[in-house]
Amino acid sequence: MKKIFTLVSVLASTALIACGGGEPAQTSDSAGSAGAMAAPAAAPPPAMGEMTMPSWFQVDNEARTVSMTITAGSTTENNYWNFNGVTKGAMTITVPEGYTVTVELVNNDPIMAHSLGISTETSSFSGVPEPVPAFPGAITENPTSMVDATMPGETESIQFIVNQAGNYSMICYTPGHALTGMWVYFNVSADGSVGVQQ
Ligand SMILES: [Cu+2]
């Protein structure tokens, strides 16, 4: 499991270097990879356990909404740099395409700012990920700030529509946090499946 994960990380890093980071390649000497740039640079999560509905996760299929409470620093895992105690993609949150998602970020870390956004990348992140969310509104305020993101003891709520099925991730944009593991998988399903796997 760990070896496979490392391999995925290496591959993703290589892809990131090849793409040169956030900006789409403008040069013409990258023929062949240009088409791939349009698709999200995301890998699907590894196989995980059965779909569950934890108490922090609520679904209303009639209203087509999902609400979840995500606590940064819920445990001391990874020096508090975790989401609901989980790091390094060890959880997959799945929501149905077209639903309106509300995420309440609670910062329970005693000293550190955190943030939350939905990224089109998975598995491998730079030290300073570009704070561009996969969906409009899918990122907390001042996400890269050490002094003005979601601060210890604060909560921040974001709401967005997941209008494109695919593999994404939920990451912290505070510098160094995603790189050191503060991220989980976030899938948008085309078949209506919904829940949390670990
Ligand atoms: Cu963080």
Side-chain angles (χ1 to χ4, degrees):
M1 189 71 170
K2 218 159 200 167
K3 277 181 182 166
I4 292 168
F5 188 80
T6 304
L7 178 62
V8 168
S9 299
V10 170
L11 290 174
S13 304
T14 309
L16 192 65
I17 291 162
C19 295
E23 297 299 317
Q26 297 296 326
T27 51
S28 57
D29 61 348
S30 58
S33 66
M37 290 299 292
M48 291 195 180
E50 63 184 71
M51 207 72 101
T52 62
M53 291 283 178
S55 58
W56 51 264
F57 188 89
Q58 288 95 37
V59 184
D60 185 335
N61 285 315
E62 204 158 305
R64 295 168 62 82
T65 61
V66 176
S67 300
M68 65 191 83
T69 302
I70 302 292
T71 303
S74 148
T75 68
T76 58
E77 164 74 13
N78 198 35
N79 191 32
Y80 293 101
W81 299 8
N82 62 70
F83 287 134
N84 288 357
V86 181
T87 60
K88 299 172 184 168
M91 171 168 74
T92 300
I93 296 170
T94 300
V95 298
E97 184 178 26
Y99 277 40
T100 298
V101 175
T102 302
V103 180
E104 183 173 69
L105 173 65
V106 178
N107 187 351
N108 195 48
D109 188 318
I111 57 166
M112 179 59 68
H114 292 289
S115 60
L116 184 153
I118 305 302
S119 170
T120 55
E121 295 179 358
T122 62
S123 307
S124 180
F125 302 95
S126 77
V128 189
E130 203 177 349
V132 178
F135 309 103
I139 193 164
T140 54
E141 286 186 21
N142 306 310
T144 62
S145 173
M146 302 291 283
V147 294
D148 208 15
T150 307
M151 302 306 289
E154 290 184 349
T155 68
E156 184 170 346
S157 196
I158 56 174
Q159 192 171 72
F160 51 96
I161 299 169
V162 288
N163 55 13
Q164 175 75 60
N167 304 308
Y168 306 91
S169 61
M170 173 183 285
I171 83 170
C172 179
Y173 285 88
T174 309
H177 290 205
L179 177 67
T180 54
M182 196 168 179
W183 68 276
V184 298
Y185 285 102
F186 185 91
N187 281 359
V188 177
S189 66
D191 65 358
S193 55
V194 60
V196 177
Q197 293 163 280
Q198 269 184 269

